[in-house]
Amino acid sequence: MRAVDLIRKKRDGGALSGEEISFLVEGNLKGTVPDYQLAAFLMAVYNRGMSEEETISLTKAMAAPGRNLDLGGIQGVKIDKHSTGGVGDKTNLVLAPLMAAMGLKMPSIAGRGLGHTGGTIDKLASIPGLRTDVTGGEVVEEIKNVGFSICGQTGEIGPVDRKLYALRDATATVESTALVAASIMSKKLSEGLDALVLDVKTGSGGFMRSLDEARALARLMVDIGNGAGIKTVAVITDMDAPLGRTVGNALEVKESISALKGRFAPDFLEVTMTLAAWMLHLADSVSEETTPQRLSEHLLKRYRDEAWDYIEHGDAFKKFVEFIDARGGNPEAAFNQGLLPKALHIKPVLSPWNGYIKRMDAFATGQASMLLGAGRATMEDGIDPAAGIVIGKKPGDAVRAEEPFATFYTNRPETLAMAEEVFLSGIEISDREPAKRKLIHEVILPS
Ligand code: URA
C-alpha cells in the first residue's frame, strides 16, 4: 500500500477501506506517512467528503486501543459534553464542576482554539500555574478524586487528533462534516464514557453554518456514539452571535467563575442549563437502562432546577477550585480575579447609531478577538491569555449613538483599529426591536 495511491483514490472520489484509513493515520504516527501527505489526504476528504462507513473507520482508527483512558475502577456514571466549537463558548468550565458536584464523573478531552473558535484548553491555561500537559494516569486520578478532568490531546491521549487538529487548522480543512465528527467522536470513544451530550453549533460562528448541515453532523455523531454503546444525544444550539458576555481566554474564565457563583448572562444560562438537563437525563437513562427520550417542559425544568441548586449552594464552584488546586494552579484566582492575566490596553467600542442591536456576528467577533491576540493563526503561534472582548450589549439590547457597547482588551495595541473594523462589520443596528433569538434549535435522539 502507498499513501500517494490512497490520496489519489480519495481525490478522485473513491471510498477508502478501514485498513487504508488506518494505514494513513497510523503511518503518520509511526513516521512512515509524512505530514504533507496527511495534509493532502485531509484536503481530498474536505473536497470529496466521506461516507458514514469511512467516517466510522477514521473515528475508530483515531481512537485505537492503547489510547483510551482506563476508568474501569471508577464508580459512578461517566458522562461528557462536547461542543462542535464556537465563539465565547465556555460552557464546559461550568458543566464539568457542576456534574462532578452532582456525583457524576466527567472526563473531557478538549482542544485548543481552532480557526476563529476558542478552545477549552487555552481558556484553562490562562489560570496562573495550571498545567494543561497531563498524563493519562493523572487524568484518571483527577476523575477519581475531583470528579472531573479537562485535558488536551497529547502524545498519549488522542495523539492522532492532536496531529490532525493542527494540520486541519493550517490547511483550511476544518469545516468538514466527516473530519469534525471523527475528531470529536474519536476523543469521546477514548474516554470510556457511559453517556455523551453533543452541543452542535449552527450559525456564522460555528463550523456548520446552516441548520441542515448541523442536523447532518449531529445525526452522524449520535449514531456513531450509540453504535459504540455510549448513550448519545445532540442539542443543536445557536452560534450566530457569541455566547455570553466575553470572548477570549482569561476573560471567559472570569465569566465562568461568575457563572459558578450564580451570575450568568441570559443566553449563557439558557444553553448551559439545557445541556445540564440533558446530561442528567442521560445519566438517569444509564442508571435505569432506558433509552433517552424527548424531555417534556416539566422534566426539563425539574432537571434544570436540580442542577441550579448545586450552583446556588456553591458546590459547583467548590469543585472548580478543587480542580485548579489539583492541577497546580493558584486556587486564589477563583476568588480574586485580579490574579488572572490582565491586558495593558483597553479600548471601548462605541455604537455608531441609536437603535437596537439586531446582529452581532459570531464569526466577525471571533476574528476580532483573534486579531487582539486571543487566538492563533497557526498552531505554533503564541496566544495572549488576557486578550479578548467584553460584550456590554447583546443582540436585542437598545444602544445610543456613541455609547460604549463592547470593550477590547489587548497587549498588542497595533491590532486595535483592525479588530474594531472587523468587529463592527458584524454589527447591525436597527430602528425596531428585533425578534428574540432562538437559542435551542433541536434535539437529535438515538435512531
Ligand atoms: N471540536 C473538536 O474536538 N474537533 C473539531 O473538529 C471541532 C470541534
PDB file of all heavy atoms in Angstrom, residues 30 33 55 71 89 103 112 188 192 211 220 225 229 235 241 256 284 312 324 377 394 419 435:
ATOM      1  N   LYS A  30       3.656   6.745  13.134  1.00  0.00           N
ATOM      2  CA  LYS A  30       4.927   5.994  13.154  1.00  0.00           C
ATOM      3  C   LYS A  30       6.030   6.723  12.377  1.00  0.00           C
ATOM      4  O   LYS A  30       7.175   6.337  12.419  1.00  0.00           O
ATOM      5  CB  LYS A  30       4.710   4.610  12.508  1.00  0.00           C
ATOM      6  CG  LYS A  30       4.011   3.624  13.455  1.00  0.00           C
ATOM      7  CD  LYS A  30       4.025   2.206  12.890  1.00  0.00           C
ATOM      8  CE  LYS A  30       2.972   2.067  11.845  1.00  0.00           C
ATOM      9  NZ  LYS A  30       2.570   0.845  11.332  1.00  0.00           N
ATOM     10  N   VAL A  33       4.280   7.987   7.082  1.00  0.00           N
ATOM     11  CA  VAL A  33       3.482   8.854   6.196  1.00  0.00           C
ATOM     12  C   VAL A  33       3.743  10.289   6.656  1.00  0.00           C
ATOM     13  O   VAL A  33       3.360  10.680   7.762  1.00  0.00           O
ATOM     14  CB  VAL A  33       1.966   8.515   6.282  1.00  0.00           C
ATOM     15  CG1 VAL A  33       1.140   9.515   5.481  1.00  0.00           C
ATOM     16  CG2 VAL A  33       1.705   7.095   5.797  1.00  0.00           C
ATOM     17  N   THR A  55     -16.257   7.406   7.722  1.00  0.00           N
ATOM     18  CA  THR A  55     -16.112   8.285   8.905  1.00  0.00           C
ATOM     19  C   THR A  55     -15.967   7.428  10.159  1.00  0.00           C
ATOM     20  O   THR A  55     -15.148   7.734  11.041  1.00  0.00           O
ATOM     21  CB  THR A  55     -17.329   9.228   9.034  1.00  0.00           C
ATOM     22  OG1 THR A  55     -17.532   9.865   7.780  1.00  0.00           O
ATOM     23  CG2 THR A  55     -17.112  10.274  10.111  1.00  0.00           C
ATOM     24  N   LEU A  71     -11.032   3.962  32.928  1.00  0.00           N
ATOM     25  CA  LEU A  71     -11.842   4.430  34.064  1.00  0.00           C
ATOM     26  C   LEU A  71     -12.569   3.271  34.723  1.00  0.00           C
ATOM     27  O   LEU A  71     -13.504   3.468  35.506  1.00  0.00           O
ATOM     28  CB  LEU A  71     -12.861   5.486  33.590  1.00  0.00           C
ATOM     29  CG  LEU A  71     -12.278   6.715  32.875  1.00  0.00           C
ATOM     30  CD1 LEU A  71     -13.377   7.718  32.578  1.00  0.00           C
ATOM     31  CD2 LEU A  71     -11.186   7.371  33.700  1.00  0.00           C
ATOM     32  N   ASP A  89     -17.831  30.215  23.788  1.00  0.00           N
ATOM     33  CA  ASP A  89     -18.448  29.001  24.342  1.00  0.00           C
ATOM     34  C   ASP A  89     -17.590  28.446  25.476  1.00  0.00           C
ATOM     35  O   ASP A  89     -16.601  27.761  25.228  1.00  0.00           O
ATOM     36  CB  ASP A  89     -18.628  27.951  23.243  1.00  0.00           C
ATOM     37  CG  ASP A  89     -19.312  26.713  23.785  1.00  0.00           C
ATOM     38  OD1 ASP A  89     -19.732  26.735  24.963  1.00  0.00           O
ATOM     39  OD2 ASP A  89     -19.418  25.720  23.041  1.00  0.00           O
ATOM     40  N   GLY A 103     -22.269  14.360  41.586  1.00  0.00           N
ATOM     41  CA  GLY A 103     -21.932  12.940  41.771  1.00  0.00           C
ATOM     42  C   GLY A 103     -21.623  12.189  40.496  1.00  0.00           C
ATOM     43  O   GLY A 103     -21.387  10.985  40.534  1.00  0.00           O
ATOM     44  N   ARG A 112      -7.459  22.910  21.806  1.00  0.00           N
ATOM     45  CA  ARG A 112      -7.095  24.324  21.816  1.00  0.00           C
ATOM     46  C   ARG A 112      -7.966  25.030  20.782  1.00  0.00           C
ATOM     47  O   ARG A 112      -8.752  24.381  20.092  1.00  0.00           O
ATOM     48  CB  ARG A 112      -5.608  24.482  21.503  1.00  0.00           C
ATOM     49  CG  ARG A 112      -4.742  23.895  22.606  1.00  0.00           C
ATOM     50  CD  ARG A 112      -3.324  24.391  22.544  1.00  0.00           C
ATOM     51  NE  ARG A 112      -2.575  23.868  23.681  1.00  0.00           N
ATOM     52  CZ  ARG A 112      -2.401  24.515  24.838  1.00  0.00           C
ATOM     53  NH1 ARG A 112      -2.898  25.717  25.012  1.00  0.00           N
ATOM     54  NH2 ARG A 112      -1.726  23.972  25.819  1.00  0.00           N
ATOM     55  N   LYS A 188     -14.105  11.139  22.225  1.00  0.00           N
ATOM     56  CA  LYS A 188     -15.148  10.663  23.152  1.00  0.00           C
ATOM     57  C   LYS A 188     -15.083   9.138  23.301  1.00  0.00           C
ATOM     58  O   LYS A 188     -15.330   8.612  24.388  1.00  0.00           O
ATOM     59  CB  LYS A 188     -16.545  11.112  22.686  1.00  0.00           C
ATOM     60  CG  LYS A 188     -16.702  12.635  22.513  1.00  0.00           C
ATOM     61  CD  LYS A 188     -16.398  13.458  23.739  1.00  0.00           C
ATOM     62  CE  LYS A 188     -15.105  14.220  23.674  1.00  0.00           C
ATOM     63  NZ  LYS A 188     -14.821  15.067  24.842  1.00  0.00           N
ATOM     64  N   GLY A 192     -13.938   6.288  27.662  1.00  0.00           N
ATOM     65  CA  GLY A 192     -14.599   5.258  28.475  1.00  0.00           C
ATOM     66  C   GLY A 192     -15.935   5.733  29.024  1.00  0.00           C
ATOM     67  O   GLY A 192     -16.269   5.489  30.188  1.00  0.00           O
ATOM     68  N   LEU A 211     -28.669  25.122   9.488  1.00  0.00           N
ATOM     69  CA  LEU A 211     -29.315  24.144  10.357  1.00  0.00           C
ATOM     70  C   LEU A 211     -29.249  22.746   9.730  1.00  0.00           C
ATOM     71  O   LEU A 211     -29.050  21.750  10.432  1.00  0.00           O
ATOM     72  CB  LEU A 211     -30.758  24.586  10.616  1.00  0.00           C
ATOM     73  CG  LEU A 211     -31.532  23.836  11.687  1.00  0.00           C
ATOM     74  CD1 LEU A 211     -30.785  23.769  13.007  1.00  0.00           C
ATOM     75  CD2 LEU A 211     -32.905  24.469  11.895  1.00  0.00           C
ATOM     76  N   LEU A 220     -24.981  12.071  12.461  1.00  0.00           N
ATOM     77  CA  LEU A 220     -23.822  11.204  12.255  1.00  0.00           C
ATOM     78  C   LEU A 220     -23.146  10.905  13.601  1.00  0.00           C
ATOM     79  O   LEU A 220     -22.855   9.746  13.928  1.00  0.00           O
ATOM     80  CB  LEU A 220     -22.844  11.914  11.301  1.00  0.00           C
ATOM     81  CG  LEU A 220     -21.530  11.234  10.953  1.00  0.00           C
ATOM     82  CD1 LEU A 220     -21.767   9.881  10.288  1.00  0.00           C
ATOM     83  CD2 LEU A 220     -20.707  12.125   9.996  1.00  0.00           C
ATOM     84  N   GLY A 225     -21.906   7.466  18.302  1.00  0.00           N
ATOM     85  CA  GLY A 225     -21.857   7.297  19.760  1.00  0.00           C
ATOM     86  C   GLY A 225     -22.698   6.115  20.212  1.00  0.00           C
ATOM     87  O   GLY A 225     -22.211   5.224  20.930  1.00  0.00           O
ATOM     88  N   GLY A 229     -22.012   2.081  21.855  1.00  0.00           N
ATOM     89  CA  GLY A 229     -22.522   1.729  23.190  1.00  0.00           C
ATOM     90  C   GLY A 229     -22.533   2.894  24.170  1.00  0.00           C
ATOM     91  O   GLY A 229     -22.681   2.690  25.376  1.00  0.00           O
ATOM     92  N   VAL A 235     -27.743  18.323  21.047  1.00  0.00           N
ATOM     93  CA  VAL A 235     -28.605  19.511  21.139  1.00  0.00           C
ATOM     94  C   VAL A 235     -28.026  20.504  20.138  1.00  0.00           C
ATOM     95  O   VAL A 235     -26.830  20.817  20.202  1.00  0.00           O
ATOM     96  CB  VAL A 235     -28.572  20.097  22.576  1.00  0.00           C
ATOM     97  CG1 VAL A 235     -29.522  21.279  22.684  1.00  0.00           C
ATOM     98  CG2 VAL A 235     -28.928  19.032  23.619  1.00  0.00           C
ATOM     99  N   ALA A 241     -24.499  34.469  17.158  1.00  0.00           N
ATOM    100  CA  ALA A 241     -23.921  35.536  17.980  1.00  0.00           C
ATOM    101  C   ALA A 241     -23.053  34.870  19.039  1.00  0.00           C
ATOM    102  O   ALA A 241     -23.294  33.725  19.408  1.00  0.00           O
ATOM    103  CB  ALA A 241     -25.042  36.338  18.637  1.00  0.00           C
ATOM    104  N   SER A 256     -16.889  32.487  33.595  1.00  0.00           N
ATOM    105  CA  SER A 256     -17.300  31.163  34.090  1.00  0.00           C
ATOM    106  C   SER A 256     -17.310  31.140  35.615  1.00  0.00           C
ATOM    107  O   SER A 256     -18.185  30.514  36.226  1.00  0.00           O
ATOM    108  CB  SER A 256     -16.348  30.083  33.576  1.00  0.00           C
ATOM    109  OG  SER A 256     -16.293  30.131  32.178  1.00  0.00           O
ATOM    110  N   ASP A 284     -29.568   9.405  34.100  1.00  0.00           N
ATOM    111  CA  ASP A 284     -30.682   8.575  34.580  1.00  0.00           C
ATOM    112  C   ASP A 284     -30.934   7.411  33.620  1.00  0.00           C
ATOM    113  O   ASP A 284     -31.214   6.294  34.041  1.00  0.00           O
ATOM    114  CB  ASP A 284     -31.961   9.422  34.715  1.00  0.00           C
ATOM    115  CG  ASP A 284     -31.951  10.247  36.000  1.00  0.00           C
ATOM    116  OD1 ASP A 284     -31.069  10.010  36.858  1.00  0.00           O
ATOM    117  OD2 ASP A 284     -32.809  11.140  36.147  1.00  0.00           O
ATOM    118  N   GLU A 312     -26.331  27.342  43.125  1.00  0.00           N
ATOM    119  CA  GLU A 312     -26.787  28.289  44.149  1.00  0.00           C
ATOM    120  C   GLU A 312     -26.101  28.051  45.503  1.00  0.00           C
ATOM    121  O   GLU A 312     -25.763  28.988  46.210  1.00  0.00           O
ATOM    122  CB  GLU A 312     -28.297  28.137  44.306  1.00  0.00           C
ATOM    123  CG  GLU A 312     -28.954  29.360  44.864  1.00  0.00           C
ATOM    124  CD  GLU A 312     -30.462  29.241  44.822  1.00  0.00           C
ATOM    125  OE1 GLU A 312     -31.001  28.104  44.847  1.00  0.00           O
ATOM    126  OE2 GLU A 312     -31.104  30.303  44.757  1.00  0.00           O
ATOM    127  N   ILE A 324      -8.605  23.356  40.136  1.00  0.00           N
ATOM    128  CA  ILE A 324      -7.469  24.271  39.912  1.00  0.00           C
ATOM    129  C   ILE A 324      -6.312  23.849  40.817  1.00  0.00           C
ATOM    130  O   ILE A 324      -5.160  23.750  40.396  1.00  0.00           O
ATOM    131  CB  ILE A 324      -7.869  25.748  40.200  1.00  0.00           C
ATOM    132  CG1 ILE A 324      -8.960  26.217  39.241  1.00  0.00           C
ATOM    133  CG2 ILE A 324      -6.653  26.669  40.110  1.00  0.00           C
ATOM    134  CD1 ILE A 324      -9.474  27.627  39.508  1.00  0.00           C
ATOM    135  N   ALA A 377      -2.970  32.142  14.520  1.00  0.00           N
ATOM    136  CA  ALA A 377      -3.132  31.908  13.083  1.00  0.00           C
ATOM    137  C   ALA A 377      -2.599  30.524  12.718  1.00  0.00           C
ATOM    138  O   ALA A 377      -3.123  29.859  11.845  1.00  0.00           O
ATOM    139  CB  ALA A 377      -2.411  32.988  12.294  1.00  0.00           C
ATOM    140  N   LYS A 394     -25.929  43.029  24.113  1.00  0.00           N
ATOM    141  CA  LYS A 394     -26.099  41.813  23.319  1.00  0.00           C
ATOM    142  C   LYS A 394     -27.194  42.053  22.279  1.00  0.00           C
ATOM    143  O   LYS A 394     -27.964  43.008  22.393  1.00  0.00           O
ATOM    144  CB  LYS A 394     -26.553  40.677  24.244  1.00  0.00           C
ATOM    145  CG  LYS A 394     -25.550  40.323  25.327  1.00  0.00           C
ATOM    146  CD  LYS A 394     -24.545  39.291  24.895  1.00  0.00           C
ATOM    147  CE  LYS A 394     -25.181  37.959  24.581  1.00  0.00           C
ATOM    148  NZ  LYS A 394     -24.188  37.005  24.053  1.00  0.00           N
ATOM    149  N   ALA A 419      -9.088  45.299  14.487  1.00  0.00           N
ATOM    150  CA  ALA A 419     -10.055  44.475  15.224  1.00  0.00           C
ATOM    151  C   ALA A 419     -11.401  45.200  15.305  1.00  0.00           C
ATOM    152  O   ALA A 419     -12.463  44.580  15.154  1.00  0.00           O
ATOM    153  CB  ALA A 419      -9.521  44.169  16.623  1.00  0.00           C
ATOM    154  N   ALA A 435     -36.772  40.480  16.755  1.00  0.00           N
ATOM    155  CA  ALA A 435     -37.418  39.318  17.391  1.00  0.00           C
ATOM    156  C   ALA A 435     -36.390  38.618  18.264  1.00  0.00           C
ATOM    157  O   ALA A 435     -35.189  38.674  17.993  1.00  0.00           O
ATOM    158  CB  ALA A 435     -37.916  38.375  16.308  1.00  0.00           C
TER     159      ALA A 435
END
